[in-house]
Amino acid sequence: MDPIGRRPVAVKLPPQPSRAEAPPAAPTANAAVAVGHALKSGFETPGVKAAQVTQAAPGTWRGPADSEVGKAINVMLDRLKQCDIKIKGDTPESLFRRAILDNKHVTNEQLLAMTQVKLEQLDSGPETRQTVLKKIPNARELPVHKFTVALMSAATGIDPKKLSEACPDLGMTGAPGTPLLYAAKTERMQRSTALHDFTDYLRGAGIKGLNKAVWGVEDRILSAAVSALGGGRY
């Protein structure tokens, strides 16, 4: 949820089949969604459970574990392990690995820029806080809010309590100042909102291209539409 008008692992290769064995058939790709050129999300791929993610160390394609980006990733993952809330089969860690770390559209520079974001760049402001808490008094207690705060806190290093206090709108669907502001009931929409809030709030904090890397479009409203439709470039 982005207030309208305000927010401006080494991967192990599978063993090669012997000459006598035929390799398994590749899974059929999902159809592209109807918004822009964003691809269908891997969330609902048949036969694949969202929580089944690679638990290997950060991919060598991002850099060695002792490199600047390798160290930053390991710190992020350590923080993510502190939150075990599950939404639609995903913890903050599994969603971050799949949608951000394993997404080759997300650059190392963007990952490093996340570590430099300060609370003031994300702070929703007193008017937004008042509006959100008037419509959703228990916003800070909702699992989707805590899940989203865990994502953002892990990437930026901002204290989760301070982040929750400053941004009760994290994880809420819609935008203050419009009729569309609510706590989503379905887990699919909750997970979608959590990830879109993560990318779009960081876009608003100055990390350009993050919405496009994940959703296929940079625009706040169009990327939110792709998210709501279940799309994504990962």
Side-chain angles (χ1 to χ4, degrees), residues 165-210:
E165 182 64 29
C167 308
D169 42 335
L170 280 171
M172 303 302 107
T173 303
T178 74
L180 186 65
L181 178 66
Y182 64 99
K185 300 298 183 182
T186 70
E187 289 197 345
R188 188 196 69 78
M189 183 59 77
Q190 289 174 10
R191 183 177 60 185
S192 170
T193 297
L195 183 56
H196 185 261
D197 273 9
F198 177 80
T199 63
D200 196 57
Y201 276 54
L202 289 176
R203 177 201 60 80
I207 305 181
K208 303 304 180 184
L210 195 56

Side-chain angles (χ1 to χ4, degrees), residues 94-180:
S94 68
L95 183 59
F96 185 80
R97 282 181 179 270
R98 188 173 67 259
I100 305 299
L101 292 187
D102 295 345
N103 184 346
K104 292 191 177 183
H105 299 291
V106 176
T107 68
N108 286 353
E109 289 74 20
Q110 287 172 324
L111 287 172
L112 291 173
M114 294 176 192
T115 68
Q116 302 302 311
V117 172
K118 306 302 180 185
L119 180 61
E120 310 86 74
Q121 296 171 269
L122 299 172
D123 194 325
S124 298
E127 291 184 5
T128 293
R129 286 195 289 271
Q130 182 178 7
T131 298
V132 171
L133 295 176
K134 182 177 180 179
K135 292 188 176 182
I136 314 169
N138 65 333
R140 293 191 180 102
E141 304 304 317
L142 298 176
V144 65
H145 172 74
K146 296 178 180 180
F147 185 104
T148 312
V149 166
L151 278 174
M152 190 70 76
S153 174
T156 63
I158 299 171
D159 181 87
K161 292 182 179 179
K162 293 181 179 179
L163 188 56
S164 177
E165 182 64 29
C167 308
D169 42 335
L170 280 171
M172 303 302 107
T173 303
T178 74
L180 186 65

